[in-house]
Amino acid sequence: MSETLPGGALTLAEGLTLSRMGYGGMQLAGPHVFGPPRDREQALAVLREAVDLGIRHIDTSDFYGPVVVNELIREALHPYPADLHIVTKVGARRGDDGSWIMSLEPDDLKAQVRENLEHLGLDVLDVVNLRVGSAHGPDEAPIAEQFGALAELREEGLIRHLGLSTVTSEQLTEAQAIAPVVTVQNLYNLANRQDDALVERCAAENIAFASYFPLGGFTPLQSDTLNAVADRLGASPQQVALAWLLQRSPTTVLIPGTSTLAHLRENVAAADLKLPADAIEDLNTIGG
């Protein structure tokens, strides 16, 4: 087992130190994040290898599958290493047809937390992110009622720390008036940098900024500039894109997902790739 944390360590609160290179469990479910994995044994092996490689930050949710990914995590890793932190999220459910249904009523948010606890085999969740907004990005809706429901469970001891997903800076401020926020999880990558100001704010306030879809999402990042930099450095374009994110901010954390061991190892190797200034200058021209 690795003695070092890939990408370095980020301490967000007492008892909460993450490896900056994490692992996102979403792709362990079946096609469209629905149903069982194509290869169950490979899925279990990927989770165990992630921990063996030093990853101490796994991102998941009960609506991945649904339930499938949390049950795989439990089967592969329970009883969990003491320093492994599982970050889950609530705010949606899945239809029988695999559709994504936002579910933000306070009582149902609390029910979702309890379901995550049950399926992960935990008595308390390290971090729970409130997922709001839509597939198109954040909206301006108030979140105090929803975040307050999770803060109540934090007071009850079912959650240690709280985070947010798909939010604006104003919504972060609204949540912070209720309880501390340790993570923000938004769409951000080389080609999608609308959240530059929020990335900077999170760094200033020691909040982890978790870039979901760090490699572009369901449409992978494609760029002649990215490919040219990768060729120059003898790395893959995916590794360069991940390394750029790690160097973008000291509180950036990554949660790339994969269902194969080879891809997992390639992602983790990106944590050791140091981009020279000229490469960063070229990469910064890609998106905005």
Side-chain angles (χ1 to χ4, degrees), residues 138-238:
D139 58 34
E140 302 295 333
I143 62 170
E145 184 179 17
Q146 293 82 7
F147 193 76
L150 299 183
E152 289 175 9
L153 295 186
R154 177 175 172 268
E155 291 298 318
E156 292 175 22
L158 296 182
I159 302 170
R160 292 192 179 97
H161 305 283
L162 296 173
L164 298 166
S165 178
T166 318
V167 293
T168 65
S169 187
E170 291 75 20
Q171 288 168 326
L172 171 56
T173 299
E174 182 184 8
Q176 287 175 315
I178 298 168
V181 174
V182 299
T183 62
V184 168
Q185 187 180 104
N186 276 19
L187 171 63
Y188 188 81
N189 55 49
L190 261 175
N192 297 275
R193 304 212 306 270
Q194 294 90 339
D195 271 343
D196 272 338
L198 187 54
V199 170
E200 298 291 348
R201 176 180 173 182
C202 287
E205 298 181 17
N206 196 44
I207 297 170
F209 187 97
S211 303
Y212 68 73
F213 294 152
L215 297 174
F218 296 109
T219 303
L221 289 171
Q222 300 289 342
S223 165
D224 290 342
T225 300
L226 175 59
N227 292 335
V229 170
D231 287 344
R232 210 159 74 217
L233 298 177
S236 73
Q238 293 81 8

Side-chain angles (χ1 to χ4, degrees), residues 1-8 17-24 46-59 77 81 83-86 254-258 263-265 267-269 271:
M1 183 177 295
S2 174
E3 297 296 324
T4 60
L5 300 187
T17 297
L18 305 180
S19 57
R20 293 185 63 211
M21 175 65 76
Y23 172 75
V46 165
L47 286 162
R48 292 170 180 142
E49 178 77 358
V51 172
D52 285 345
L53 290 172
I55 287 175
R56 291 299 181 269
H57 170 201
I58 293 179
D59 178 82
L77 301 176
D83 60 348
L84 177 65
H85 298 290
I86 297 176
L254 303 184
I255 47 172
T258 180
H263 191 197
L264 171 69
R265 291 164 185 155
N267 288 344
V268 173

Side-chain angles (χ1 to χ4, degrees), residues 37 40-41 43-45 47-48 67-80 119-121:
R40 184 179 184 84
E41 290 308 311
L44 296 170
L47 286 162
R48 292 170 180 142
V67 181
V68 169
V69 172
N70 277 351
E71 290 188 339
L72 286 168
I73 291 170
R74 180 176 183 172
E75 180 177 346
L77 301 176
H78 194 279
Y80 303 109
H119 297 135
L120 287 166

